[in-house]
Amino acid sequence: MAPVTNGRVLFNSYPDGYPEPGKTTVYDTTETIDLDTVPLNGGFLLKTLELSIDPYMRGRMVRPDTPSYSPPWAIGQVIPSNGVGVVLRSENPEAKVGDHISGFLEHKQYAVIKTLEGLRILDNPNKLPWTAFLGVLGMPGKTAFMAWREYSSAKKGETVFVSTGAGPVGSLVIQLAKIDGLKVIASAGSDEKVQFMKDIGADVAFNYKTSKTEEVLAKEGPIDIYWDNVGGETLEAAIDAAKLNARFIECGMISAYNTGYTFPIRNFFQIIAKSLSFHGFIIGRLTAKWDSEFYKTITPLVEGGQIKFKEHIYEGLERDGEGILAVQRGWNRGKAVVHVADE
Amino acid sequence: MAPVTNGRVLFNSYPDGYPEPGKTTVYDTTETIDLDTVPLNGGFLLKTLELSIDPYMRGRMVRPDTPSYSPPWAIGQVIPSNGVGVVLRSENPEAKVGDHISGFLEHKQYAVIKTLEGLRILDNPNKLPWTAFLGVLGMPGKTAFMAWREYSSAKKGETVFVSTGAGPVGSLVIQLAKIDGLKVIASAGSDEKVQFMKDIGADVAFNYKTSKTEEVLAKEGPIDIYWDNVGGETLEAAIDAAKLNARFIECGMISAYNTGYTFPIRNFFQIIAKSLSFHGFIIGRLTAKWDSEFYKTITPLVEGGQIKFKEHIYEGLERDGEGILAVQRGWNRGKAVVHVADE
């Protein structure tokens, strides 16, 4: 067969504010690949099917000296993220043709990969969509489940506030909190998202663009736990609404990712007055402890439909940059995934 | 014997900024007591010897609706704090004449107390000064020891930064950190305090009024642990100097107690980027777990002189208000104690 284009998404320039499709990242079609003859050198040829777009990616679009748990991308590199692919050819006995493989993949249509190190062959007897392994059964699902178990100290009858409750992490937190018997207050940025949060069990769901967070929390709080995905003024409101000994799970601060400006927290003194704890974390720190319990607990609940999830699919790798921007803007309606190719 | 004056310190008015002796608290001599005949009703008569003055007391001089782990004082009440007294008369078989008793006592010269609930009979075979039971062997010592053990996750070779390192909490933290094999950076507000911090083992000790905290930390850090007694700009500098996965032990925020103003924390985003944890705590939450280990570990080290401590004694209950102000201003040079009476 003749060589085909191997489309790739390259990191092209540091964004000042929000990432710009075609500028921050570019879709590049200069590389070709002959799928029949490309040398495998003992590895395997993977066809990319689905790629995850996540909020944390903004933190990697920074200059090399910026301290962060996720190392900065280099200008010109093919950007990576979690993804799912299928093995087309293989010289590696661990990866058989037709196997579906998940893990950190480059944003390109085809890749020759040496080993399965850091990757995982997916077992999918119930024929869930492969995208589920990037969301509720992937890194966002693990983030929600593992940090909830590790840091929430949730007790039945307590109250939790979840920001970005319609996203892949927040929506699982809402459902885990309901399973644990908590009252759930959840916020998101559109009425459609508010409806989804109600559908998955939130006791109080509101649109933070049309309701004041501090007023909702004053009425429906105080809170024992805050799951923070946004930071800024929402975090301040949560601190004001916190009970003594409340726990703050600091998962993200989307409000600060693109502004070049961190909203100052003016009431942090309450960490002393109310004896609060704040847990920033990286999911890698929790994986060894919670991985098997995650799959054992969450997989059957997803397969049985008791845990719901929502996806927003961007069709084609050329729409990668669009998905990246949408996630930073909150324009996506569900877990953002780029659908690169059918099987 | 004729009745004698029973001097008392009353909470008199809410301070706007710093507490003012004679206004925020007043020394009152209108009450008398007949030590021979005052009815005990099954309790015991305690003569107050020493009373502790602590930074947290400022948090109780607030209006009743202020949320805090330490309940606000009521206008007109006799203020309480940790103290040591000696039993003069007793109808309670658990408290014998001559017993020394420690715990929350009212700031008055004599008190009739019903039961030993919440109090503790002191065992002092090595004749330590009774004041030691208010400092290194009292609440400040427990605060340092228990939170260090619970939250620091200290590992040999790591670096800790301790603010107010010459105070009763900070100075024990410095010594515990050196025992654990850490590099210790410590700050205080006078050259005399800097010398004391060096004497007890701090590797780097500096006067934050004459050296810039961020410059010292840039040179001597980065840090794995920050023991925060001050909050504000010092906390910001510590966040900037933190390594990935650093732990922040949030013990106090003296910078915010008296200004009516909480310095906004502008770089709190780093809790995400650096995966930091912040532990506000109240010592009562840790006592059950660590109490016996505290006494077992610290008492012999204090008795043997391996752990050093420093006190600043205010002579006479009428100087109570002066001590309270000094602790908020940082004017005391060592654990502040009011010496009410000799045995």
Side-chain angles (χ1 to χ4, degrees):
Chain A
M1 214 163 89
V4 296
T5 298
N6 191 8
R8 305 176 304 160
V9 179
L10 308 177
F11 182 49
N12 188 60
S13 67
Y14 301 112
D16 278 331
Y18 285 94
E20 294 179 46
K23 184 175 167 194
T24 306
T25 57
V26 292
Y27 182 64
D28 175 88
T29 56
T30 58
E31 189 176 283
T32 59
I33 185 168
D34 189 319
L35 301 177
D36 298 318
T37 63
V38 60
L40 302 183
N41 299 315
F44 56 92
L45 175 62
L46 194 75
K47 178 184 180 187
T48 307
L49 302 177
E50 318 287 351
L51 289 168
S52 179
I53 304 290
D54 301 289
Y56 78 86
M57 292 164 78
R58 180 63 180 82
R60 308 191 63 173
M61 303 175 195
V62 293
R63 289 179 171 74
D65 57 348
T66 310
S68 176
Y69 63 85
S70 53
W73 289 337
I75 296 291
Q77 81 165 91
V78 182
I79 69 169
S81 76
N82 279 301
V84 176
V86 62
V87 177
L88 296 186
R89 290 168 49 212
S90 180
E91 293 173 356
N92 181 327
E94 295 180 87
K96 287 182 286 297
V97 172
D99 277 351
H100 287 76
I101 286 178
S102 177
F104 252 60
L105 303 180
E106 292 190 307
H107 284 221
K108 59 199 295 191
Q109 291 176 290
Y110 301 97
V112 175
I113 298 172
K114 187 82 184 172
T115 77
L116 279 177
E117 201 183 310
L119 302 174
R120 176 171 163 262
I121 297 178
L122 293 177
D123 183 33
N124 187 15
N126 286 284
K127 305 281 174 222
L128 291 170
W130 295 113
T131 49
F133 295 92
L134 302 181
V136 67
L137 290 174
M139 190 270 288
K142 289 185 182 184
T143 298
F145 178 85
M146 295 178 182
W148 181 255
R149 288 290 171 96
E150 183 76 17
Y151 301 120
S152 75
S153 302
K155 284 176 284 295
K156 194 176 165 173
E158 288 191 331
T159 299
V160 60
F161 171 42
V162 184
S163 55
T164 69
V169 175
S171 62
L172 185 52
V173 172
I174 290 173
Q175 295 174 83
L176 292 171
K178 288 313 298 176
I179 290 170
D180 285 350
L182 280 77
K183 173 178 176 178
V184 175
I185 307 169
S187 66
S190 77
D191 292 345
E192 181 187 350
K193 290 177 179 176
V194 167
Q195 187 57 51
F196 175 60
M197 296 191 294
K198 285 180 181 165
D199 292 344
I200 59 174
D203 300 283
V204 179
F206 68 98
N207 181 342
Y208 72 85
K209 292 177 179 168
T210 55
S211 298
K212 283 206 160 131
T213 302
E214 58 265 40
E215 287 173 10
V216 175
L217 294 181
K219 179 161 176 270
E220 302 289 348
I223 62 173
D224 300 280
I225 304 166
Y226 174 45
W227 186 286
D228 190 9
N229 283 321
V230 302
E233 289 183 281
T234 311
L235 173 56
E236 274 197 338
I239 291 173
D240 279 338
K243 282 191 204 169
L244 296 187
N245 303 320
R247 289 80 70 194
F248 283 63
I249 303 175
E250 294 297 323
C251 182
M253 289 200 183
I254 191 80
S255 70
Y257 291 178
N258 298 284
T259 53
Y261 171 76
T262 308
F263 186 87
I265 304 298
R266 294 164 294 191
N267 56 357
F268 193 61
F269 169 65
Q270 295 185 42
I271 194 172
I272 302 290
K274 293 183 180 171
S275 188
L276 310 176
S277 57
F278 286 70
H279 304 278
F281 64 98
I282 19 182
I283 190 62
R285 200 160 69 193
L286 303 177
T287 308
K289 180 172 173 186
W290 292 108
D291 213 45
S292 73
E293 189 164 338
F294 168 74
Y295 288 110
K296 208 173 66 187
T297 308
I298 301 299
T299 307
L301 292 172
V302 171
E303 289 176 344
Q306 295 100 318
I307 281 185
K308 294 178 176 54
F309 61 98
K310 206 169 181 178
E311 295 173 338
H312 190 136
I313 309 292
Y314 294 83
E315 294 287 346
L317 192 54
E318 63 276 19
R319 294 187 62 200
D320 203 276
E322 183 189 330
I324 288 172
L325 174 60
V327 163
Q328 297 300 323
R329 287 280 192 188
W331 292 337
N332 56 314
R333 299 181 304 280
K335 171 73 193 95
V337 175
V338 172
H339 178 67
V340 181
D342 297 330
E343 301 259 342
Chain B
M1 213 161 91
V4 296
T5 298
N6 191 9
R8 307 175 304 161
V9 178
L10 307 177
F11 182 49
N12 188 61
S13 67
Y14 301 113
D16 279 332
Y18 285 94
E20 295 178 45
K23 185 176 167 193
T24 306
T25 57
V26 293
Y27 181 62
D28 175 86
T29 56
T30 58
E31 190 176 281
T32 59
I33 186 169
D34 188 318
L35 302 177
D36 297 319
T37 63
V38 60
L40 302 182
N41 300 314
F44 57 90
L45 174 64
L46 195 75
K47 179 185 178 184
T48 308
L49 302 179
E50 317 288 353
L51 289 168
S52 179
I53 305 291
D54 300 290
Y56 78 86
M57 293 164 79
R58 180 63 181 83
R60 307 191 64 173
M61 306 175 194
V62 293
R63 290 179 169 73
D65 57 346
T66 311
S68 175
Y69 63 84
S70 54
W73 289 337
I75 296 293
Q77 80 163 89
V78 182
I79 69 168
S81 77
N82 279 301
V84 176
V86 62
V87 177
L88 295 186
R89 290 167 51 212
S90 179
E91 294 173 354
N92 182 327
E94 295 181 87
K96 287 182 287 295
V97 172
D99 277 351
H100 286 78
I101 286 178
S102 176
F104 252 61
L105 303 179
E106 292 190 306
H107 284 220
K108 59 201 297 189
Q109 291 177 289
Y110 302 97
V112 174
I113 297 172
K114 187 81 184 173
T115 77
L116 280 176
E117 202 183 309
L119 302 174
R120 175 171 165 262
I121 297 177
L122 294 177
D123 183 33
N124 187 13
N126 285 283
K127 305 283 175 221
L128 292 170
W130 296 112
T131 48
F133 296 92
L134 301 181
V136 68
L137 290 174
M139 190 271 288
K142 288 185 182 182
T143 298
F145 178 85
M146 295 178 182
W148 181 257
R149 288 291 171 97
E150 183 74 19
Y151 300 120
S152 74
S153 302
K155 284 177 282 296
K156 194 177 165 173
E158 288 190 331
T159 299
V160 60
F161 171 43
V162 184
S163 56
T164 69
V169 174
S171 62
L172 185 53
V173 172
I174 290 173
Q175 294 174 83
L176 292 171
K178 287 314 298 177
I179 290 170
D180 286 350
L182 280 77
K183 173 178 176 177
V184 175
I185 307 169
S187 66
S190 77
D191 292 345
E192 180 187 349
K193 291 176 179 176
V194 167
Q195 187 56 51
F196 175 60
M197 296 190 296
K198 286 181 181 164
D199 293 344
I200 60 175
D203 300 282
V204 179
F206 69 98
N207 181 343
Y208 71 86
K209 292 176 180 169
T210 54
S211 298
K212 284 208 160 130
T213 302
E214 59 266 39
E215 288 174 10
V216 175
L217 294 181
K219 179 162 175 270
E220 302 289 347
I223 62 174
D224 300 279
I225 304 166
Y226 174 46
W227 186 287
D228 189 9
N229 283 322
V230 302
E233 289 182 282
T234 311
L235 174 56
E236 274 197 337
I239 292 173
D240 279 339
K243 282 190 204 170
L244 295 188
N245 303 320
R247 289 80 68 193
F248 283 63
I249 302 176
E250 294 297 322
C251 181
M253 288 201 183
I254 192 79
S255 71
Y257 291 178
N258 298 284
T259 53
Y261 171 75
T262 308
F263 185 87
I265 303 298
R266 294 164 293 193
N267 56 356
F268 194 62
F269 169 66
Q270 295 184 41
I271 194 172
I272 303 290
K274 292 183 182 171
S275 188
L276 308 176
S277 57
F278 286 70
H279 304 278
F281 64 99
I282 21 181
I283 190 63
R285 199 160 70 193
L286 304 177
T287 308
K289 180 172 173 186
W290 293 107
D291 214 45
S292 73
E293 189 163 340
F294 169 73
Y295 287 111
K296 209 173 66 188
T297 307
I298 301 299
T299 307
L301 292 172
V302 171
E303 290 175 345
Q306 294 100 319
I307 280 185
K308 294 178 176 55
F309 61 98
K310 205 169 182 179
E311 296 173 339
H312 190 135
I313 309 292
Y314 294 84
E315 295 286 345
L317 192 53
E318 62 276 19
R319 294 186 62 199
D320 204 275
E322 184 188 328
I324 288 173
L325 174 60
V327 163
Q328 298 299 322
R329 287 282 192 187
W331 291 338
N332 55 313
R333 299 182 303 281
K335 171 74 192 94
V337 175
V338 172
H339 177 66
V340 181
D342 297 330
E343 302 259 343

